[in-house]
Amino acid sequence: MNFNLLVKNKLQDILEFYGFVIIDETVDYLEYESLKVALVISYDNIENVGYLYVGKKGLDLLCITSDIFKLFFNDNPKNYFVLPQKSIEDFVNNLKLFFLKDGKPLLQSDEELLNELENYNLLKSHRYTNNILMRQNINKVDSDWTMKNYEKFIEHVNEIGISNLPHSYKLKYDIALKNAKKKSL
């Protein structure tokens, strides 16, 4: 059965009850909005995986993942979504069950829950960005070490903070300090 038609047949009544209307629809993708909440229900037929994205209307949406189930719904995602599903029907049936039980606050525009999800999303994004920046800085330090540019190595380690690096960099830092002193003599 067509994914969009299946979602509409199984979920439309529930979503309409909470004031959701379809604002965008393409193949295997439905976007809904209520007065305060936006949600996307989509399906990747290549991977055989369904997705639910939720958030405040007009802001970035958050993919409801297993960690979110555990943190915000005190539940095991396997109670609703066993990935990959056996069929698109499984995904939609599980989504219906979620909306009728633990996911109901999302449909009810629970402001506190939406704020917590938004803060969690920002925190995850911040951590992700920091990890990328740290990896870039470590690559720079590694390059300095490989090129035996001990002064730059020391400078870059100081910018990062030696306590933010693995222990092996402390050993390299001590060697770089000795080599830099020798070079300046």
Side-chain angles (χ1 to χ4, degrees):
M1 176 181 269
N2 173 295
F3 175 74
N4 292 20
L5 187 59
L6 184 64
V7 169
K8 289 176 188 176
N9 286 342
K10 299 240 179 190
L11 301 177
Q12 197 73 24
D13 290 343
I14 296 168
L15 294 172
E16 283 179 355
F17 178 80
Y18 290 101
F20 284 87
V21 295
I22 295 173
I23 62 160
D24 191 17
E25 178 177 359
T26 59
V27 175
D28 297 335
Y29 177 94
L30 289 155
E31 186 173 351
Y32 290 87
E33 280 187 356
S34 68
L35 289 175
K36 295 182 179 180
V37 178
L39 66 89
V40 170
I41 302 168
S42 64
Y43 190 78
D44 180 341
N45 60 16
I46 295 171
E47 297 288 329
N48 192 33
V49 176
Y51 296 98
L52 172 64
Y53 295 86
V54 178
K56 288 182 181 177
K57 185 176 173 179
L59 297 177
D60 290 337
L61 300 184
L62 178 66
C63 184
I64 303 298
T65 58
S66 59
D67 58 329
I68 291 172
F69 269 104
K70 291 172 189 166
L71 290 170
F72 295 97
F73 300 103
N74 297 317
D75 211 337
N76 186 337
K78 291 182 180 175
N79 292 343
Y80 299 108
F81 305 103
V82 178
L83 301 175
Q85 289 89 20
K86 294 176 185 156
S87 68
I88 59 174
E89 288 87 4
D90 289 339
F91 171 69
V92 175
N93 287 334
N94 290 337
L95 195 54
K96 181 177 182 177
L97 183 61
F98 174 67
F99 284 151
L100 290 173
K101 292 184 177 183
D102 296 321
K104 190 184 279 187
L106 292 173
L107 301 181
Q108 295 170 326
S109 305
D110 182 310
E111 193 74 27
E112 185 178 336
L113 176 60
L114 292 169
N115 286 337
E116 288 174 3
L117 287 170
E118 184 180 350
N119 290 337
Y120 178 77
N121 197 25
L122 290 172
L123 179 64
K124 268 184 88 167
S125 177
H126 181 71
R127 284 182 183 156
Y128 177 77
T129 302
N130 283 344
N131 285 338
I132 289 172
L133 292 173
M134 179 58 89
R135 187 74 243 149
Q136 289 173 344
N137 286 332
I138 287 174
N139 288 341
K140 192 183 330 177
V141 166
D142 288 342
S143 175
D144 293 337
W145 180 260
T146 302
M147 301 300 285
K148 297 184 181 185
N149 189 345
Y150 300 116
E151 292 83 11
K152 281 289 185 191
F153 178 88
I154 294 165
E155 180 184 325
H156 290 140
V157 167
N158 287 338
E159 288 172 7
I160 296 169
I162 192 70
S163 62
N164 295 321
L165 293 167
H167 180 70
S168 62
Y169 287 88
K170 171 68 172 131
L171 299 173
K172 289 180 179 180
Y173 185 78
D174 292 340
I175 293 168
L177 285 172
K178 288 177 187 172
N179 287 329
K181 277 184 183 179
K182 285 181 190 175
K183 200 173 187 181
S184 67
L185 293 177

